[in-house]
Amino acid sequence: MLEIVKGATKNTGNIKFENQVQELFHLLNLGIEKIEAKQSTGPKFSVEPFVYCDELTRCEIPKRGCSAEEAIIALSEIVEGGLRPQSTNEVYNMVPQPIPETVAAASLMQLYNINAIMDSYGGKSLLFEQQVSRSVGRLVGWDNASGISCSGGKQTLLYAIKSAIDRVAPEAKYQGVPDDLVILTAEGAHYSIEHVCELAGLGQDACIRIPVSSSHGIDSEALEKVFEQQVRLGKRVAGIIACGGTTLDFLCDDTATIFKASQKVCQRMHLSYEPYLHLDSVIGWLWFSFVSASEFELLQLELSQTVVEKIKSVTSRFSALEKFDSFGVDFHKNALCPYSSSFFVRKKALEEERHSYNPLVYGDLSAFTETFENSRSSSGIASAWVSLQRFGITGLRTYLGSLLSSAERLKLVLADEQISVLNDSSCGWEVIFSIKPTALLNKDYSTNLLLEGFYDYMQQLVLSGKNVPNVSIIKSFRQNQETSASHGLIIYNMNPYLSEGQCEVMKNDILQCWSDYSQSISRGITDLNRLKINEPIR
């Protein structure tokens, strides 16, 4: 390591790479030690409330650099207030504990500083990127799939909408995005799509939401009606973003419905184009592993009939994926990879996408001609590749089946006279429930307000370092589908082997916290009249 500034380090000259690796392990161990010393239990690292402007007035680059150890020790503060996915009580959202081998894969890419910008610069990182894309594509019969590694599901949507613009308005590449393009998607699809339309130059108003009446997504009549309305308004439907499974109630469109309805309108209205079809399956891609599963293979997994039927229900909705153009994958959501590892996967072969029908050889491939970044980490590529190799198709199926089974187990334990499960029919593994207040509490407060207060109460406990379930909340659950929609608390368990005993402990902890919360209201400690919460994003 070269001397950076006088006094910053005593290590000068050339140090062997092995010594650098030893130093890395030393610093990692030091960091882990300091972080775990802060808090080794609970769903969140505790944090003291702070004011951003006050903290920022005190920050500055030191005049003299500190030692590596001092920097890492000071850095350990960064986790305060962050989630601890190692905890069984971390049930706030889909944040799993990554497995060591995927973390090792990502770390290796950082250690060797591999930039996946072009093959002559980043070695085989672009080949491994295409291997991941091709492998996942083959799960649904896309034998020539190609793809792009990116930072998250939002960016997969950005690639999809950019692809839609390129198809319907190729002139936009040089002249800018025309103002007659719109994107269709379902109510309940990801909240970021409007922002993605803004980033793509379409504007947020170009995102047209279609009402849905069930978790099975958009029906044919609704899609045709909205599509025709937009055409009559002089708009071109550049793309349709279908839901491939959401975090709440697992909203999943039927790909056959989307394709057939789109084709009908195109033919009936004599359109000169066909909309780009993208499946937002950053969560639902895990179900792809079951698309070709036989009855015998399902039987071998020893899953309950309820879980098997839910898996079949989802995979049946992917029957027309061969008619779609692309889909999204988040390996950091449900393939035990560290943040971030996402892929935008296209049906087209790499050569076809690049308008080159000559065989690509090493030295030909440059990613920056189509990526949003030039500087692009290989960590997400490496961790995704290792995950697929470690899991295999059987492992992916087992993991998904275990998560779904854990959710069913939790629902059975939770349901009683005091707790109502609100999403028993969901094909996902989230558990949404409500707690029945006492008549005395209900006399002064609505159930919805009491649930909001309980969510806030639990968050305060978690932020203070208490080891209690880090439940989340959804306001007016299924408000687009039911007139009697109400609030629900959420348990998003990421432990695939949650036992009945662990479920009982989680339930008892929640009910004990509810009892304490109810008493704090009765004693005037908690004032719901001053309550104001922000609903968590999903």
Side-chain angles (χ1 to χ4, degrees):
M1 186 183 296
L2 298 176
E3 184 177 11
I4 302 173
V5 289
K6 188 176 181 180
T9 175
K10 295 181 180 179
N11 298 324
T12 59
N14 295 322
I15 298 180
K16 291 182 178 180
F17 181 65
E18 290 82 355
N19 291 345
Q20 291 182 342
V21 174
Q22 290 177 5
E23 177 70 3
L24 171 62
F25 286 147
H26 163 65
L27 294 175
L28 280 174
N29 286 328
L30 176 62
I32 292 169
E33 177 186 327
K34 294 301 177 184
I35 288 172
E36 288 300 302
K38 291 176 179 291
Q39 188 178 331
S40 58
T41 61
K44 256 190 177 185
F45 290 99
S46 62
V47 61
E48 291 292 331
F50 61 89
V51 179
Y52 277 93
C53 61
D54 292 344
E55 295 297 318
L56 293 174
T57 56
R58 292 191 285 269
C59 76
E60 60 182 3
I61 300 173
K63 188 172 183 179
R64 294 180 179 275
C66 63
S67 69
E69 288 80 6
E70 289 171 331
I72 293 298
I73 290 171
L75 176 68
S76 66
E77 185 181 327
I78 198 171
V79 303
E80 293 177 8
L83 303 179
R84 292 189 68 255
Q86 299 87 354
S87 170
T88 304
N89 277 329
E90 180 37 60
V91 292
Y92 192 78
N93 208 335
M94 196 179 289
V95 183
Q97 167 64 27
I99 52 178
E101 46 267 52
T102 61
V103 176
S107 300
L108 279 170
M109 295 304 98
Q110 294 174 343
L111 178 64
Y112 288 94
N113 213 19
I114 304 297
N115 182 1
I117 183 173
M118 61 181 78
D119 57 8
S120 59
Y121 197 91
K124 286 187 174 180
S125 60
L126 272 64
L127 172 62
F128 276 60
E129 175 181 38
Q130 296 312 314
Q131 288 178 344
V132 171
S133 304
R134 181 70 56 89
S135 298
V136 179
R138 281 177 173 162
L139 292 176
V140 294
W142 291 7
D143 291 335
N144 297 311
S146 59
I148 301 172
S149 170
C150 54
S151 66
K154 186 174 182 179
Q155 201 166 78
T156 67
L157 291 169
L158 185 53
Y159 277 116
I161 290 175
K162 175 64 169 61
S163 299
I165 295 170
D166 289 345
R167 169 182 290 183
V168 177
E171 72 278 6
K173 181 177 180 180
Y174 302 101
Q175 300 172 12
V177 180
D179 61 5
D180 65 336
L181 302 184
V182 294
I183 300 293
L184 305 186
T185 195
E187 285 285 356
H190 202 264
Y191 68 90
S192 69
I193 297 177
E194 280 82 0
H195 190 213
V196 173
C197 285
E198 176 190 338
L199 295 173
L202 292 169
Q204 294 192 19
D205 290 346
C207 178
I208 310 299
R209 299 271 180 169
I210 302 174
V212 295
S213 57
S214 75
S215 61
H216 285 259
I218 302 171
D219 64 45
S220 179
E221 184 179 346
L223 177 54
E224 290 181 42
K225 179 181 178 181
V226 174
F227 195 156
E228 285 195 12
Q229 285 176 341
Q230 292 302 311
V231 173
R232 296 187 191 284
L233 289 171
K235 301 293 185 180
R236 287 182 288 174
V237 176
I240 301 174
I241 307 296
C243 288
T246 58
T247 52
L248 297 180
D249 216 27
F250 205 80
L251 178 64
C252 188
D253 287 310
D254 188 302
T255 53
T257 297
I258 300 294
F259 172 72
K260 290 176 182 178
S262 174
Q263 287 289 297
K264 283 183 181 178
V265 176
C266 289
Q267 293 168 10
R268 191 159 56 232
M269 305 293 286
H270 304 291
L271 301 182
S272 60
Y273 66 90
E274 292 183 3
Y276 186 93
L277 301 181
H278 175 78
L279 184 70
D280 184 16
S281 53
V282 291
I283 297 170
W285 76 272
L286 196 54
W287 277 255
F288 293 172
S289 64
F290 279 102
V291 166
S292 61
S294 66
E295 289 293 333
F296 176 71
E297 288 172 319
L298 283 169
L299 188 64
Q300 283 185 312
L301 294 174
E302 298 181 348
L303 302 171
S304 70
Q305 191 59 34
T306 298
V307 170
V308 169
E309 290 304 318
K310 289 187 176 185
I311 290 172
K312 287 182 177 180
S313 175
V314 173
T315 54
S316 68
R317 300 177 217 175
F318 297 148
S319 63
L321 252 180
E322 73 275 5
K323 305 295 185 182
F324 272 56
D325 298 292
S326 59
F327 60 75
V329 175
D330 274 2
F331 286 95
H332 53 249
K333 276 193 170 69
N334 47 24
L336 303 181
C337 290
Y339 276 106
S340 58
S341 179
S342 293
F343 273 73
F344 169 70
V345 181
R346 306 167 295 209
K347 184 170 61 177
K348 284 185 178 180
L350 190 62
E351 291 85 355
E352 186 180 358
E353 192 68 33
R354 294 169 61 83
H355 308 292
S356 171
Y357 295 92
N358 296 319
L360 291 172
V361 299
Y362 176 75
D364 287 345
L365 194 53
S366 298
F368 64 82
T369 58
E370 56 183 350
T371 58
F372 293 123
E373 318 100 313
N374 268 14
S375 301
R376 200 164 63 110
S377 171
S378 294
S379 291
I381 298 170
S383 61
W385 190 90
V386 166
S387 174
L388 292 178
Q389 298 304 306
R390 287 286 287 126
F391 271 112
I393 292 176
T394 301
L396 293 174
R397 291 172 179 173
T398 301
Y399 178 53
L400 174 56
S402 298
L403 285 170
L404 294 173
S405 297
S406 291
E408 295 304 311
R409 196 173 298 120
L410 182 57
K411 288 175 182 178
L412 286 173
V413 169
L414 282 179
D416 65 8
E417 293 181 357
Q418 193 169 3
I419 296 180
S420 300
V421 174
L422 305 180
N423 71 327
D424 195 55
S425 63
S426 173
C427 289
W429 62 83
E430 80 289 355
V431 178
I432 303 177
F433 65 101
S434 180
I435 304 178
K436 184 180 179 180
T438 62
L440 185 61
L441 281 177
N442 247 161
K443 179 182 177 182
D444 297 322
Y445 306 102
S446 69
T447 300
N448 283 348
L449 181 59
L450 287 165
L451 289 174
E452 288 182 24
F454 183 61
Y455 163 71
D456 182 69
Y457 179 83
M458 294 295 282
Q459 287 303 296
Q460 296 307 314
L461 291 179
V462 168
L463 286 173
S464 67
K466 301 295 183 183
N467 190 15
V468 295
N470 188 21
V471 297
S472 187
I473 191 171
I474 177 173
K475 295 182 179 180
S476 301
F477 177 53
R478 291 178 176 164
Q479 61 181 340
N480 298 316
Q481 302 173 27
E482 299 177 6
T483 55
S484 58
S486 61
H487 291 6
L489 299 168
I490 307 165
I491 294 176
Y492 222 111
N493 166 62
M494 292 304 299
N495 176 6
Y497 301 110
L498 192 68
S499 68
E500 185 175 342
Q502 289 173 314
C503 293
E504 291 284 0
V505 169
M506 192 177 295
K507 174 184 179 178
N508 292 336
D509 286 347
I510 290 171
L511 289 178
Q512 182 60 56
C513 288
W514 178 267
S515 175
D516 295 342
Y517 161 70
S518 300
Q519 291 182 35
S520 72
I521 296 174
S522 301
R523 295 171 182 172
I525 300 172
T526 297
D527 184 2
L528 295 183
N529 294 316
R530 302 178 64 181
L531 180 67
K532 183 179 180 181
I533 69 164
N534 293 318
E535 186 177 6
I537 60 173
R538 292 289 167 193

